[in-house]
Amino acid sequence: MDAQSYHPVPPGVGTEENFLSLDDILLSHQRLPVRTECAFPRLGFLDRSSDSEDLPEGTKMELPLWLSKGLYERKRRVLSVELPKVYKEGWRTVFTADPNVVNLHKMGPYYYGLGSQMLHFDSPENPDIAQTLLQTFIGRFRRVMDSSQNAYNEDTSTLLERLDCLEKALFQSGQSGLNGFQSWEKGRASQLTASSLVINYRKRKMADVQA
Amino acid sequence: MMFCEKAVELVRELQRLSDGQLPAFNEDGLRQVLQEMESLYDQNQADVNEAKAGRTDFIPSIKLRHSCLLRNQRCVTAYLYDRLLRIRALRWEYGSVLPANVRFHMCAEEVEWFSQYKKSLASFMRSIGGGEGLDITQDMKPPKSLYIQVRCIKDHGEFEIDDGTVILLKKNSQHFLPRWKCEHLIRQGVLEHVLS
């Protein structure tokens, strides 16, 4: 395995985000359908479809997850958050029937991450959502793992494009392990290599010169 | 429109480069985020005064702007921190002297940070290895032999080895050299380790 010195802050696990994780910041940028349960004076411009100066109570709009989390209060006088379609009962039944059929990249791409975050909003369906997330992962994981270990023998691109971000990261991790093992088998593990950062800087330099 | 769009763009800029490359320091982007924060803060100051005077209906808006301030702060902190992680990786992957094209991507504070990090690492390495010091940035892969075969990938001029012999590192020339002398040149892409 190419020893990498850049170790970014990983995403959080479950309902906890990691403050400094770039992945978690992008995940929380995703938009959710919400309904305002109170008025927001002078913030009417947040709702593109309205012209009023104030944002009235009862407005249905989309807000990013980070803002929804920031405003949501259990007492419910501020915001109510609707479940995105993917986490509602209709789709949950599909996932339960056959988790491998679904294109989680199209439905996400942060299916598991966003799903875990949805649990913050006290929906009565939370236990079912959590259960579906878990069972879907269990159902799909085997195929992801097997594929990552067989990357040399089969075309994995069709599987890859249907994976959500978490599964993709696992796949890449599996591949990296496979490559490392192959390299060790060939006696290449002891070969000193140029730092990949150096190679990439040089490639970019060439691109700059050619531009 | 929504607040904090510029801030998330900064984060995206880095997340795209998953291999650890350091892009140019986005001073402009950072300035825009700080300006937005100032504007949000000023608006909230005004609304807080009104709320204290009785307009409690302003409180939801105050909270919303406050969430935006926190979000901007998070994005900027993560941006700066992730860049430091990349810069730290450069010390280990490349060495203690960074090429000019990389240095141009760093802001003055980041150059200073790198210099301090180098010093910390150097003094740590001096303190281990039984008083003699130990270069832990060497032998990142367990060595199999003392001498290795290398091929020169680009011209590097004269190179002196421990017994005083001077070698001319001309492109495509091959040499049999002590491993500890050429490890960093391999990492920097000047030499290539040839396996027999």
Side-chain angles (χ1 to χ4, degrees):
Chain A
M1 291 205 263
D2 198 17
Q4 218 212 26
S5 308
Y6 166 63
H7 303 291
V9 177
V13 180
T15 51
E16 289 305 306
E17 290 184 49
N18 273 345
F19 185 79
L20 294 173
S21 159
L22 304 183
D23 287 321
D24 275 344
I25 291 175
L26 291 176
L27 157 67
S28 52
H29 188 67
Q30 300 252 297
R31 292 180 159 244
L32 297 175
V34 306
R35 183 181 184 277
T36 59
E37 301 293 341
C38 71
F40 291 84
R42 304 219 286 227
L43 294 178
F45 58 84
L46 291 178
D47 181 9
R48 259 166 279 175
S49 62
S50 123
D51 269 332
S52 66
E53 192 191 334
D54 301 331
L55 190 65
E57 172 185 335
T59 309
K60 286 198 163 194
M61 60 187 296
E62 283 194 332
L63 287 183
L65 173 69
W66 61 265
L67 189 52
S68 306
K69 277 172 84 174
L71 291 174
Y72 178 77
E73 280 174 50
R74 204 155 281 194
K75 286 174 272 180
R76 276 271 207 97
R77 282 179 301 113
V78 190
L79 208 69
S80 62
V81 181
E82 195 188 313
L83 289 177
K85 264 179 274 172
V86 199
Y87 305 107
K88 286 197 176 145
E89 184 164 6
W91 272 106
R92 291 206 304 265
T93 318
V94 175
F95 289 128
T96 321
D98 185 355
N100 283 296
V101 160
V102 200
N103 182 340
L104 283 189
H105 184 81
K106 212 172 63 166
M107 312 246 71
Y110 295 103
Y111 171 72
Y112 300 107
L114 187 62
S116 306
Q117 291 302 311
M118 288 314 298
L119 302 176
H120 279 290
F121 300 112
D122 302 321
S123 158
E125 299 177 63
N126 273 2
D128 294 318
I129 298 172
Q131 191 58 9
T132 305
L133 288 174
L134 185 59
Q135 293 305 321
T136 305
F137 181 76
I138 292 174
R140 288 167 65 99
F141 175 64
R142 182 64 178 283
R143 218 174 266 196
V144 174
M145 192 174 86
D146 280 346
S147 252
S148 78
Q149 297 302 296
N150 283 315
Y152 293 145
N153 300 327
E154 64 182 57
D155 181 16
T156 48
S157 54
T158 33
L159 174 81
L160 258 181
E161 44 185 48
R162 287 163 51 236
L163 299 184
D164 107 311
C165 290
L166 171 66
E167 291 168 338
K168 214 170 275 182
L170 288 173
F171 180 88
Q172 279 159 358
S173 181
Q175 267 208 319
S176 161
L178 175 68
N179 291 338
F181 177 70
Q182 301 267 355
S183 152
W184 173 81
E185 265 197 324
K186 292 187 194 144
R188 292 207 169 277
S190 54
Q191 183 183 30
L192 297 173
T193 48
S195 143
S196 55
L197 290 181
V198 176
I199 298 176
N200 287 331
Y201 277 119
R202 202 167 290 146
K203 278 198 193 135
R204 270 170 59 213
K205 229 166 106 178
M206 292 290 293
D208 287 341
V209 167
Q210 284 164 359
Chain B
M1 79 134 285
M2 176 48 65
F3 295 111
C4 313
E5 293 285 343
K6 193 66 196 175
V8 91
E9 244 180 68
L10 289 177
V11 169
R12 252 196 218 110
E13 206 185 275
L14 288 183
Q15 205 250 12
R16 239 178 261 138
L17 301 169
S18 52
D19 60 355
Q21 277 181 73
L22 185 74
F25 186 76
N26 195 340
E27 184 163 353
D28 223 30
L30 210 59
R31 193 183 320 119
Q32 285 180 49
V33 177
L34 294 176
Q35 273 171 359
E36 188 184 75
M37 289 177 81
E38 265 191 65
S39 159
L40 284 165
Y41 184 79
D42 288 340
Q43 287 171 58
N44 259 4
Q45 282 292 87
D47 274 12
V48 163
N49 290 332
E50 299 251 16
K52 282 199 234 174
R55 294 295 303 269
T56 51
D57 55 316
F58 278 8
I59 291 177
S61 298
I62 294 170
K63 285 193 174 161
L64 193 146
R65 289 195 202 95
H66 188 71
S67 288
C68 297
L69 280 168
L70 292 177
R71 175 70 171 179
N72 276 341
Q73 182 190 49
R74 178 183 182 188
C75 292
V76 169
T77 313
Y79 175 76
L80 295 175
Y81 184 74
D82 191 76
R83 283 181 63 91
L84 290 184
L85 292 179
R86 290 164 195 257
I87 293 170
R88 181 177 73 178
L90 285 170
R91 172 62 188 89
W92 290 88
E93 297 240 353
Y94 195 82
S96 57
V97 179
L98 297 179
N101 62 333
V102 172
R103 245 183 302 123
F104 285 151
H105 282 187
M106 296 162 61
C107 70
E109 289 83 359
E110 288 173 336
V111 173
E112 174 60 23
W113 186 89
F114 184 77
S115 162
Q116 294 296 332
Y117 180 75
K118 263 190 338 188
K119 288 202 189 100
S120 289
L121 181 62
S123 75
F124 172 72
M125 293 199 290
R126 267 196 306 274
S127 73
I128 53 177
E132 266 186 32
L134 182 65
D135 186 351
I136 53 178
T137 65
Q138 294 267 51
D139 295 332
M140 300 288 263
K141 293 182 176 166
K144 296 286 184 192
S145 56
L146 287 176
Y147 281 72
I148 52 175
Q149 189 78 11
V150 295
R151 180 187 304 118
C152 200
I153 301 184
K154 49 182 202 169
D155 286 322
H156 192 71
E158 293 188 344
F159 185 60
E160 188 177 327
I161 50 178
D162 292 341
D163 64 2
T165 326
V166 173
I167 310 246
L168 180 63
L169 293 178
K170 199 164 137 68
K171 184 168 172 179
N172 282 327
S173 60
Q174 287 209 15
H175 310 274
F176 193 58
L177 294 175
R179 182 203 168 89
W180 63 92
K181 284 303 269 186
C182 40
E183 192 168 347
H184 71 284
L185 286 176
I186 295 173
R187 238 187 274 139
Q188 286 170 18
V190 173
L191 300 175
E192 184 184 38
H193 183 185
V194 179
L195 290 180
S196 39

